[in-house]
Amino acid sequence: MKVLKFGGTSVGTAKSIKKVKDIIANEAKSDRVIVVVSAMTQVTNKLLAASELAANGDESYKEITKEIENKHFEAIRELVVIDQQSGVIANIKVLLNQLEDILNGVYLVRELSPKTSDYIVSFGESLSSIILSKSIGAELVDSKSLISTNTEHGGATVLYDRTYKKIHEFFESSNSNVFVAPGFVASTEEGVTSTLGRGGSDFSAALYAAGSNAAELQIWTDVSGMYTADPRKVKSAFPVKFASYKEAMELSHFGAKVIYPPTILPVYKKGIPLKIKNTFAPDDQGTLITASADEGMPIKGISSIDKIALASLSGSGMIGIPGISARLFGALSRAKVNVILITQASSEHSISFAISPEDITIAVDAVQEEFAFEIQTGKINSPRVETGLSVIALVGEKMSGQVNVSGKMFNTLGSNGVNMRAIAQGSSERNISAVIEEK
Ligand code: ADP
Ligand code: ASP
Ligand code: MG
């Protein structure tokens, strides 16, 4: 079995879907294939925008649903053989009516819960997967019934054992050779629609690969692999031919948007090779991610995360007292604040941690509550937060043991007038990160 995932841009237009069809046909010559598909370009954004408008009592959400309808009807006309078109249009129309009903409900009650929002955005992948499966004559798979999650709507946690068991049984018992499954969507144990978070179709594909013990996972997108840096920001960036799972994980966590970070773990655990390929240039080599990725390059890439905030906890009462950092990160973890980077000066006088600006209020409240006594007695200062910062990270397996990689990085930043607010190196030495001003 092979799993092929096509992102929004790959199914952006009827023309691009034709390229997708060729790639699938080629792979299906030699193996069974599960195709995981995202919503057509911009459809997820449009669904979210329509939901917001409806919740705010703005009737123009109806214009957006009309645009979504037109986009899918056009794709059907171009991709599905004529004598099947009316059947597919009828299928799609049923879904579009359901979508309109639910948006109308949101409009009437002026309320949009994360649960309802998940249900609304799930239509993007439901629609694209029906059209693709009909246009290539593949069996449509119901991802909602195979992928199980908890009830954290908006970005739920997958229940792995249950999911893998269902995926395994499903593909064992089917005789088809080519399957199409919607990415991104799942359901809770009670059968309520959930989603895997923005960009989550990559993750769905990894779950299908791990659950079916696939020989390979291919992520097809609009660039020829994982680049040394974001190709939209850095003109001289180029695709790395090989990377290890660990390098790919670090790069994606630090902003390489080409792959959704949770994607790598399921295939890493099972040793399934992961390829990143370009739908629009299928002959380009792309990136191959496996356990070892010796290419002789100490640094695999430079990633960045824009818009971060740097919070610091400082005070004389922190010096030599065990357990301060455990309490700090315990409090942040209970408040569900994701910590991007941590640094502590060896004087132990202060600990800084980078978080997303959206989390500032929750993080500060959690820290203030945890250290209420110390703050009151002046042993620890109230947390300080700086915004308008970015993290830039150098990633590479071979960096460990190489003298002076960090020296070079800091020199380069310094001689270009970039001021560093904080620096962190993972003990794996696979990642050196610096917090800099966002400019
Ligand atoms: P898809 O719709 O196929 O899921 P995404 O838009 O999620 O595609 O991801 C692909 C995009 O990620 C590319 O178009 C590229 O601009 C961006 N990107 C950011 N960082 C990197 C990187 N390090 N390597 C490759 N692409 C990157
Ligand atoms: N359609 C979803 C999104 O835009 C999932 C994905 O494309 O991976 O976030
Ligand atoms: Mg993506």
Side-chain angles (χ1 to χ4, degrees):
M1 184 75 88
K2 277 187 186 169
V3 177
L4 278 61
K5 179 260 171 178
F6 293 92
T9 44
S10 301
V11 289
T13 58
K15 203 168 147 206
S16 63
I17 300 184
K18 285 195 178 123
K19 292 191 189 294
V20 168
K21 284 170 83 168
D22 290 343
I23 294 165
I24 298 170
N26 194 32
E27 292 293 335
K29 280 185 210 154
S30 54
D31 208 343
R32 295 174 86 199
V33 171
I34 305 170
V35 178
V36 177
V37 66
S38 290
M40 293 180 78
T41 322
Q42 291 303 325
V43 168
T44 306
N45 289 342
K46 283 186 194 222
L47 288 166
L48 287 169
S51 313
E52 287 294 328
L53 287 170
N56 290 326
D58 184 336
E59 266 191 272
S60 58
Y61 73 86
K62 290 183 180 158
E63 287 159 29
I64 301 189
T65 47
K66 195 72 205 158
E67 285 170 29
I68 295 175
E69 174 170 316
N70 290 340
K71 192 173 178 100
H72 290 90
F73 282 174
E74 194 183 307
I76 294 169
R77 280 193 295 273
E78 294 215 28
L79 294 163
V80 178
V81 287
I82 292 208
D83 55 354
Q84 287 188 15
Q85 281 186 9
S86 54
V88 182
I89 288 180
N91 265 345
I92 294 287
K93 195 66 201 167
V94 170
L95 284 184
L96 289 167
N97 287 341
Q98 286 171 358
L99 173 64
E100 253 178 58
D101 285 349
I102 180 84
L103 281 168
N104 193 33
V106 170
Y107 174 78
L108 291 174
V109 299
R110 305 278 199 272
E111 189 182 278
L112 178 69
S113 67
K115 191 168 162 181
T116 306
S117 178
D118 262 359
Y119 180 57
I120 294 172
V121 282
S122 77
F123 279 89
E125 272 71 8
S126 301
L127 292 165
S128 64
S129 59
I130 291 181
I131 298 177
L132 185 64
S133 72
K134 291 289 181 194
S135 85
I136 62 175
E139 180 175 344
L140 184 64
V141 180
D142 177 12
S143 296
K144 289 186 188 177
S145 74
L146 296 185
I147 300 183
S148 291
T149 68
N150 69 4
T151 55
E152 267 171 51
H153 288 282
T157 301
V158 169
L159 308 174
Y160 285 95
D161 292 343
R162 207 179 141 93
T163 297
Y164 288 163
K165 186 164 176 282
K166 285 196 278 184
I167 291 177
H168 181 78
E169 285 170 2
F170 179 84
F171 291 102
E172 279 274 298
S173 64
S174 168
N175 293 322
S176 304
N177 279 320
V178 184
F179 302 87
V180 171
F184 185 53
V185 301
S187 72
T188 66
E189 285 175 288
E190 292 73 40
V192 177
T193 298
S194 54
T195 62
L196 304 182
R198 291 306 308 271
S201 293
D202 296 339
F203 187 27
S204 310
L207 295 170
Y208 276 110
S212 66
N213 285 314
E216 190 171 290
L217 168 61
Q218 303 175 358
I219 304 276
W220 290 85
T221 181
D222 61 349
V223 286
S224 296
M226 190 170 233
Y227 278 60
T228 50
D230 184 344
R232 279 169 305 190
K233 292 186 192 154
V234 182
K235 287 233 158 50
S236 57
F238 57 91
V240 284
K241 295 196 171 75
F242 305 96
S244 69
Y245 294 117
K246 288 178 186 167
E247 287 171 335
M249 244 188 277
E250 299 263 4
L251 279 168
S252 66
H253 273 293
F254 276 85
K257 190 198 157 218
V258 68
I259 193 155
Y260 183 54
T263 308
I264 298 163
L265 204 57
V267 288
Y268 176 18
K269 281 192 174 158
K270 296 230 165 171
I272 299 169
L274 165 57
K275 278 186 188 159
I276 300 176
K277 297 275 291 175
N278 190 344
T279 304
F280 306 95
D283 295 331
D284 284 0
Q285 188 172 343
T287 301
L288 173 64
I289 299 164
T290 55
S292 75
D294 194 351
E295 207 188 355
M297 276 167 55
I299 294 161
K300 279 297 161 63
I302 303 169
S303 278
S304 58
I305 309 179
D306 293 341
K307 294 206 180 37
I308 63 135
L310 189 67
S312 314
L313 193 67
S314 63
S316 56
M318 289 168 59
I319 304 171
I321 312 280
I324 298 276
S325 50
R327 283 172 59 198
L328 170 61
F329 295 112
L332 291 171
S333 148
R334 284 191 299 280
K336 294 206 159 58
V337 172
N338 178 35
V339 177
I340 300 164
L341 166 154
I342 302 168
T343 67
Q344 176 173 30
S346 60
S347 74
E348 295 186 36
H349 183 262
S350 76
I351 302 176
S352 302
F353 52 96
I355 54 177
S356 155
E358 289 145 32
D359 289 338
I360 294 175
T361 319
I362 316 170
V364 169
D365 286 352
V367 175
Q368 266 168 344
E369 196 184 313
E370 176 66 40
F371 293 101
F373 175 72
E374 286 87 346
I375 292 173
Q376 224 173 19
T377 51
K379 291 203 169 83
I380 288 183
N381 307 319
S382 248
R384 213 165 42 100
V385 184
E386 262 180 280
T387 53
L389 302 170
S390 298
V391 178
I392 165 162
L394 223 55
V395 174
E397 195 87 65
K398 289 262 150 102
M399 245 162 39
S400 54
Q402 292 246 344
V403 192
N404 206 23
V405 173
S406 44
K408 261 193 198 151
M409 173 176 175
F410 302 146
N411 249 332
T412 311
L413 289 173
S415 58
N416 284 289
V418 179
N419 183 21
M420 276 170 289
R421 311 304 321 248
I423 298 163
Q425 175 170 31
S427 57
S428 65
E429 294 189 38
R430 211 177 294 120
N431 172 334
I432 303 173
S433 311
V435 178
I436 57 176
E437 267 168 42
E438 188 178 68
K439 266 196 261 183

